[in-house]
Amino acid sequence: MMKAGEMFRTFIAIELPPEIRMEMAEVQNWLRAEAAKRRYDIARAIRWVDPDAIHLTLKFLGDVAAHMVPQIEQELRQAVGEHSSFTLRLGKLGVFPHPKRPRVLWVGLEGDLPQLVALQAQVDNVLGKLGFSQEKRPFSPHLTLGRVRESVDPKTQESIGEVVEFAPVPIPATFVVESIAVMRSQLRPTGPLYSRMAEIPLLGCD
C-alpha cells in the first residue's frame, strides 16, 4: 500500500534468470580464490553484490513520489511494447574507471546489443518526457559484481585490477529478455534490498 507523500528510490532494470545469477556467483568465487592464491588481500577490499540482487540497470531515477509510479509504468508499457524480445549472453570481465584504480568490477554483455541499446534509449526518452534527467553518457551495459571500498590503498587497487585482467571469461550463458521492471531500492546497512513494483512485457511476451 502506497502512502501519500511517500518517496521510493526507483530504477528501471532487466532482471536476470536464476541460472545467470548462479554463474555470476561462480565468477565472484573465482575472483576471491584467485586473489587468495596470489596472496592479495582484496576479499575485504570489495563490497560484493549479492548474486540474487544483480540486475541490468537501464535507468536510475532516484527518489520518486509514490503516486508517480503508476504513471511511469503506464508510459513505459506503451513505449516498450513495440520492442520484441532479444537474447544476451555473458561476456568478458572488466572494471571502471581504469585497471590501476578500479572502483567497480563487472561482467560485460554480448549478443543482441543493438536491440538492448534501442530499448534503453526508448526508456530514457520516455522518462525524459516525464521530467527525469536524460543520460549524457553512452549506455554501457554491464552486470556489477562488486565495488571497491573507498578506503582501499592504491597498491591493493592495482592488485584488484590485475586479478580481473587475468580472469577467464565466464561460461557464455545466454538469456532471453522478455520484459523490463520498475524496481524499488531500499538502502540498508547490510546492502540494498530490491523489489519489483511493476513488470512490463516486451512485444509478444504477455
Side-chain angles (χ1 to χ4, degrees):
M1 179 72 68
M2 297 182 185
K3 301 177 182 178
E6 192 172 9
M7 304 292 288
F8 292 157
R9 185 177 173 86
T10 305
F11 62 96
I12 313 302
I14 293 171
E15 296 181 281
L16 304 177
E19 60 271 19
I20 297 297
R21 290 175 174 169
M22 288 178 61
E23 183 60 30
M24 297 293 285
E26 288 298 317
V27 174
Q28 290 175 330
N29 290 337
W30 186 92
L31 290 170
R32 291 189 188 98
E34 186 65 16
K37 284 195 298 184
R38 296 173 181 229
R39 298 184 179 179
Y40 290 159
D41 185 20
I42 70 169
R44 296 181 182 178
I46 299 170
R47 289 184 289 108
W48 299 100
V49 179
D50 182 343
D52 288 337
I54 295 176
H55 56 268
L56 173 56
T57 301
L58 298 178
K59 186 171 182 64
F60 179 70
L61 303 181
D63 290 331
V64 173
H67 72 268
M68 282 198 66
V69 173
Q71 183 182 4
I72 290 170
E73 177 187 356
Q74 180 180 1
E75 294 294 331
L76 287 175
R77 194 174 293 275
Q78 293 178 353
V80 308
E82 63 190 51
H83 291 267
S84 300
S85 62
F86 55 92
T87 301
L88 298 175
R89 65 178 178 271
L90 299 183
K92 64 180 182 179
L93 274 68
V95 300
F96 293 139
H98 191 276
K100 290 189 179 298
R101 53 181 190 279
R103 304 306 309 175
V104 178
L105 284 62
W106 48 262
V107 172
L109 292 168
E110 300 174 350
D112 296 332
L113 294 183
Q115 291 91 321
L116 173 61
V117 171
L119 176 62
Q120 190 276 334
Q122 182 79 336
V123 168
D124 192 36
N125 183 57
V126 167
L127 294 175
K129 294 177 181 178
L130 292 180
F132 295 98
S133 298
Q134 292 189 266
E135 300 294 336
K136 295 182 175 60
R137 294 177 297 179
F139 178 52
S140 178
H142 64 278
L143 305 174
T144 299
L145 291 166
R147 296 175 176 85
V148 181
R149 298 182 187 277
E150 294 288 342
S151 59
V152 173
D153 62 89
K155 184 176 180 180
T156 302
Q157 287 186 40
E158 189 169 350
S159 298
I160 293 171
E162 289 177 1
V163 171
V164 174
E165 182 180 4
F166 292 103
V169 175
I171 295 173
T174 63
F175 62 102
V176 179
V177 177
E178 296 183 324
S179 65
I180 65 173
V182 182
M183 304 291 293
R184 180 183 181 184
S185 172
Q186 295 170 275
L187 301 181
R188 306 177 303 169
T190 55
L193 174 65
Y194 301 132
S195 55
R196 185 198 312 138
M197 295 190 288
E199 184 177 17
I200 302 162
L202 301 185
L203 180 65
C205 298
D206 292 295

